[in-house]
Amino acid sequence: MKKLAILFTILLFISCKKEEAQKENLYPETQKTAEEQQIELGQAVFEGKGNCFACHKPDQKIIGPSIQEIATIYKEKNADMVAFLKGKADPIVDPSQYEVMKTNFSITKNLPEEELKALEAYFYSFAK
Ligand code: HEC
């Protein structure tokens, strides 16, 4: 009789664990990493108040270089995009067109540090 009680307890324990695992699968959005959330914020700023998408596309040059090109060069050179967006670092991608990009510093200089870092993370998510 005692053995039966122990067996029953074990079975109950196992079925509880199973339910927990199923619950986690039901809510996958709670499993987003901090990095994924940062990239999403970056994309929101890029497409929203930053207005960056007007001149930058993921993989093709329009008015500005593609996000992919910028990210790849910044990664290679280990450059500081946040400093650039604050107007505190020289252009390294296409210095001949710097004047066009410079007009955006009136927007980027007023963005909180968190959003500048998010923009950087969004760019880096396209790096090769
Ligand atoms: C009016 C068009 C325009 C808009 C809007 C624009 N850019 Fe640019 N961007 C450019 C051009 C042109 C270049 C190439 C010149 C250069 O490299 O500085 C550039 C270059 C860059 C670079 C590379 C800088 C380097 O080191 O050479 C980054 C990073 C960048 N843009 C980020 C952004 C972000 C973030 C936004 C939105 C807040 C944005 N841009 C909005 C035109 C634009």
Side-chain angles (χ1 to χ4, degrees), residues 41-59:
L41 174 64
Q43 183 173 9
V45 177
F46 186 89
E47 291 169 359
K49 62 180 169 183
N51 197 38
C52 320
F53 73 103
C55 297
H56 295 287
K57 294 277 173 276
D59 54 11

Side-chain angles (χ1 to χ4, degrees), residues 30-45:
T30 57
Q31 291 174 352
K32 260 183 201 155
T33 62
E35 198 192 339
E36 284 168 337
Q37 285 172 354
Q38 194 185 31
I39 291 171
E40 270 180 18
L41 174 64
Q43 183 173 9
V45 177

Side-chain angles (χ1 to χ4, degrees), residues 66-124:
S66 71
I67 303 177
Q68 205 173 60
E69 183 185 353
I70 294 173
T72 306
I73 291 173
Y74 265 75
K75 204 175 166 188
E76 262 170 23
K77 303 203 171 170
N78 201 12
D80 187 343
M81 201 180 292
V82 172
F84 174 79
L85 294 173
K86 284 178 179 171
K88 288 181 183 162
D90 291 332
I92 55 171
V93 177
D94 188 0
S96 70
Q97 296 295 309
Y98 181 47
E99 291 303 317
V100 182
M101 180 56 207
K102 239 176 151 178
T103 56
N104 299 293
F105 290 162
S106 57
I107 298 174
T108 53
K109 274 181 178 168
N110 291 317
L111 294 177
E113 184 85 12
E114 188 199 355
E115 292 180 2
L116 292 174
K117 285 196 174 136
L119 276 172
E120 184 181 50
Y122 176 62
F123 270 66
Y124 277 137

